[in-house]
Amino acid sequence: MRAVSWLAGALLALAATAYLAFGLHLGLEWIDEGHIVYPAWRVARGELPYRDFQQLYGPSVFVLNGALLRLFGEELAVVRAGLLAVKLLLGALVFVLARDVAGRGLALAVTAAFVVIWGTPIWVFNAPYANHYALACQLLAVAVLLRGRARPLVAALVAGVLVGVGMTFKQTAGVFAAVTVALFLLAPDRTQGEPAWRRLLWWAAVLATAGVVVAYLRERTPAALVLALPLAGLVAVAAGRGGGDRGGGVRAQPFAALLVFAAGAALAPVAVGVVFAAEGTLGRLLADTLLELPQRVAWFIPLKPPDVRGWFGAGTFGLVLWLPVFVPLAAVPLLAARRSGPGGDAAPWLLAWTAAGCCLAMYPAADMPHALMLLPALLPLLAWALAVAAGPRGVRRAAVLALAAAIAVAILRTPVQQARAVIAAPIGPTLPRAAGIRTIPVAADDNAALLALLAKEPAERELLILPSEQMTYFLAGRRAALQDREYVLYLATTGFVHPEDARAAFDEEGAIARLVATRPLVIEHDVGPYLARVRTMFPTLAAFLDKYYRERERAGRYTVLEPVMGPAGQVDSSLVPPAPPSPPGALPH
């Protein structure tokens, strides 16, 4: 019987792998995917984040993907193969965590939902976002903590290291993971007498968490308060009814486990700091990821009020938007009733803390893509809540599971339809460095024409693409002329920054001086509001291009501009300051 189970599991794993891999071979995204892939390629060529280019994410997403490109070749398929491994790890973690608290049947159901949704061929799941890697580290840490009953302090150390590694991918994800583990470890157990020092330590952790949440939400605190409701609900229940039994495992020695966990969590960030300090660029690392660049980002999509009418028929997929709030909130009364379900008491509590912390990741963008990104953290807790609400047998169990199945079918219909639409679309041209990636015509046709045109240019010729489209830099194998300012161009393109902040961070005069010195081709792509937005934000740069660049030819909707200026001294000095030195450490092609 065990052999049959193993065989069935292997077949299901192969089917999931094939489905996820198939979705990764469909479609390209020029702006969002490009702003991660192109910097990773630059790291593969020996450059260093923050020293040679700006970025908001932690360095690990670029170092990891840069290493893959260096080892296995400069192809987009290499990055996506690495992303496939992350998806498979997340799927395995969803299954294992759900099985432990809800049984194999519900675990298979929620894992299947994860595979279907995360296999949808859209940019959210095809781009190597830092959150994907950080979430995998966090859930792996949860699994380690829950399986560390024999050697709890070792488990706490390993989990801390994993959370710290996740922090080097995406800072906020790692911080919230660390905070929720601390709350889990220190939450009181009302079935036992708690010493006063433990209660004081718990309330200190609660107050520190409140400070982190308020600081993170900043001026959006009232509008984003709903995202903190699950965390507040769990704190209230843990304070009044207890936060799970102390039993065995890491909660049996909460203070020691927290110290070991904190030490492990500090290892990776400290190591990164030491490396960048040795390169003389620790200040730039802190400015880009914590102190300056994050403060310039002006991006806020508030959570829309729930529309129950939209949760029926074709609009049922809109329910996903509220799952990060609903799932941990639904767990609050179940945990308050001390109905722990098949997996014991510690597991559902840690899953609930994790899901509530991930809910905060919906700030600053409480939209569908970000809700979908959080599903792996929600599905094991959802499986537990369904198991507890359904009960062991009888009509209630059948009714709850039937309702859950109906909602799941309605939700999954949208990603299935999306996949079918992409598959049915005509095949676009094969692009350089995108072997095996099936593109959709129109944008890809234009890009293929542009790449063919650029292939005739000298290898050392740099480009400036407006609006920011860093995937084209990667596919063309070309350096960006303003590479140290490319991330600000990305923020301007997407509208994630106020114009005055964009101009303060971009330094138009320095950019013009570099264009005069290097005389790159300028590519303008006039589709949607993006080009007009960039030109409006940087009027001095736009005036310089209008005066000293002329259209040479077109490639679909791309316009190729050639410099018509003479030597640097023969242009309008009011638009051209002295040329700055090249960025340190930059490697020529």
Side-chain angles (χ1 to χ4, degrees):
M1 189 67 181
R2 178 170 294 183
V4 174
S5 297
W6 276 102
L7 179 60
L11 291 175
L12 288 173
L14 285 173
T17 302
Y19 178 80
L20 291 170
F22 181 69
L24 282 169
H25 283 80
L26 300 177
L28 279 173
E29 208 289 319
W30 308 107
I31 298 176
D32 247 34
E33 187 177 5
H35 99 275
I36 304 172
V37 173
Y38 174 61
W41 175 59
R42 293 173 59 181
V43 170
R45 295 257 173 140
E47 298 186 33
L48 190 67
Y50 322 115
R51 182 191 68 187
D52 299 323
F53 58 86
Q54 285 187 296
Q55 253 293 340
L56 192 63
Y57 285 144
S60 291
V61 68
F62 308 110
V63 172
L64 174 60
N65 286 294
L68 293 175
L69 291 169
R70 189 178 183 90
L71 290 172
F72 301 106
E74 296 176 347
E75 284 281 340
L76 184 58
V78 171
V79 174
R80 293 200 176 180
L83 186 56
L84 174 61
V86 174
K87 289 186 177 185
L88 291 173
L89 175 59
L90 283 169
L93 289 168
V94 168
F95 175 76
V96 169
L97 293 173
R99 182 194 60 190
D100 289 351
V101 296
R104 182 169 297 177
L106 279 171
L108 284 172
V110 295
T111 304
F114 162 78
V115 170
V116 171
I117 292 177
W118 270 58
T120 306
I122 57 177
W123 87 100
V124 178
F125 307 122
N126 283 352
Y129 287 115
N131 190 78
H132 300 339
Y133 304 87
L135 188 57
C137 291
Q138 181 179 7
L139 293 187
L140 193 55
V142 169
V144 168
L145 285 171
L146 294 178
R147 278 165 174 70
R149 302 185 71 84
R151 305 179 70 180
L153 296 186
V154 173
L157 177 63
V158 174
V161 170
L162 288 167
V163 167
V165 170
M167 201 177 299
T168 66
F169 281 93
K170 188 176 182 182
Q171 310 87 294
T172 51
V175 168
F176 292 138
V179 163
T180 51
V181 168
L183 291 174
F184 164 73
L185 291 174
L186 298 175
D189 178 8
R190 297 301 181 187
T191 65
Q192 303 179 14
E194 291 280 12
W197 67 268
R198 279 187 179 177
R199 290 196 297 272
L200 288 175
L201 196 59
W202 155 251
W203 283 111
V206 169
L207 291 175
T209 300
V212 169
V213 170
V214 171
Y216 178 62
L217 299 179
R218 295 193 302 276
E219 71 273 9
R220 304 291 187 179
T221 302
L225 188 61
V226 66
L227 300 178
L229 286 179
L231 206 57
L234 289 173
V235 167
V237 171
R241 301 291 300 273
D245 62 63
R246 292 225 177 265
V250 290
R251 271 180 56 78
Q253 307 173 58
F255 186 64
L258 180 59
L259 288 178
V260 172
F261 173 83
L267 287 177
V270 168
V272 167
V274 169
V275 169
F276 280 87
E279 293 291 336
T281 189
L282 179 60
R284 289 313 315 161
L285 164 68
L286 295 175
D288 279 7
T289 62
L290 183 63
L291 302 176
E292 293 180 14
L293 192 56
Q295 316 309 322
R296 296 188 185 276
V297 175
W299 182 30
F300 181 57
I301 303 175
L303 190 64
K304 295 180 180 178
D307 181 5
V308 178
R309 296 170 301 174
W311 293 349
F312 298 94
T316 312
F317 194 58
L319 175 62
V320 174
L321 182 62
W322 276 81
L323 281 181
V325 178
F326 285 165
V327 171
L329 272 182
V332 169
L334 298 176
L335 290 166
R338 303 303 296 270
R339 302 175 64 179
S340 60
D345 203 21
W349 266 105
L350 181 53
L351 292 177
W353 288 118
T354 300
C358 285
C359 184
L360 295 173
M362 292 282 281
Y363 176 83
D367 56 7
M368 188 65 69
H370 288 80
L372 293 171
M373 285 185 185
L374 300 178
L375 280 181
L378 306 175
L379 291 172
L381 182 64
L382 177 61
W384 171 80
L386 287 172
V388 172
R393 62 180 65 86
V395 176
R396 187 182 71 177
R397 178 176 180 82
V400 169
L401 295 182
L403 178 61
I407 293 175
V409 169
I411 289 175
L412 294 176
R413 183 173 61 179
T414 298
V416 169
Q417 289 174 342
Q418 177 76 27
R420 290 177 61 186
V422 172
I423 294 168
I427 299 176
T430 299
L431 301 175
R433 298 190 172 193
I437 307 296
R438 175 176 171 172
T439 58
I440 307 302
V442 184
D445 286 340
D446 293 349
N447 203 274
L450 175 64
L451 294 174
L453 185 154
L454 294 176
K456 302 174 184 177
E457 294 292 321
E460 68 276 7
R461 185 130 202 209
E462 297 180 351
L463 307 176
L464 172 60
I465 301 176
L466 299 175
S468 175
E469 196 174 273
Q470 296 182 56
M471 181 61 79
T472 302
Y473 292 129
F474 170 73
L475 296 178
R478 301 283 178 150
R479 287 171 65 92
L482 302 179
Q483 53 192 354
D484 55 328
R485 302 170 178 85
E486 192 63 45
Y487 191 75
V488 180
L489 279 177
Y490 163 76
L491 293 176
T493 295
T494 52
F496 295 164
V497 63
H498 291 305
E500 57 274 16
D501 285 333
R503 286 189 285 273
F506 185 75
D507 180 16
E508 290 182 86
E509 293 184 347
I512 291 170
R514 177 146 181 84
L515 296 182
V516 171
T518 59
R519 303 169 63 87
L521 286 181
V522 174
I523 316 295
E524 291 192 337
H525 192 198
D526 195 4
V527 175
Y530 307 113
L531 179 59
R533 181 183 293 153
V534 170
R535 280 180 154 268
T536 300
M537 285 195 183
F538 307 119
T540 304
L541 175 63
F544 172 81
L545 295 178
D546 291 340
K547 186 170 184 178
Y548 292 109
Y549 273 78
R550 295 292 181 270
E551 179 180 331
R552 189 181 82 182
E553 54 192 307
R554 288 180 177 270
R557 288 181 287 183
Y558 290 95
T559 303
V560 180
L561 304 175
E562 182 80 28
V564 294
M565 68 188 88
Q570 298 178 12
V571 296
D572 186 346
S573 60
S574 68
L575 292 177
V576 185
S582 298
L587 297 181
H589 280 300

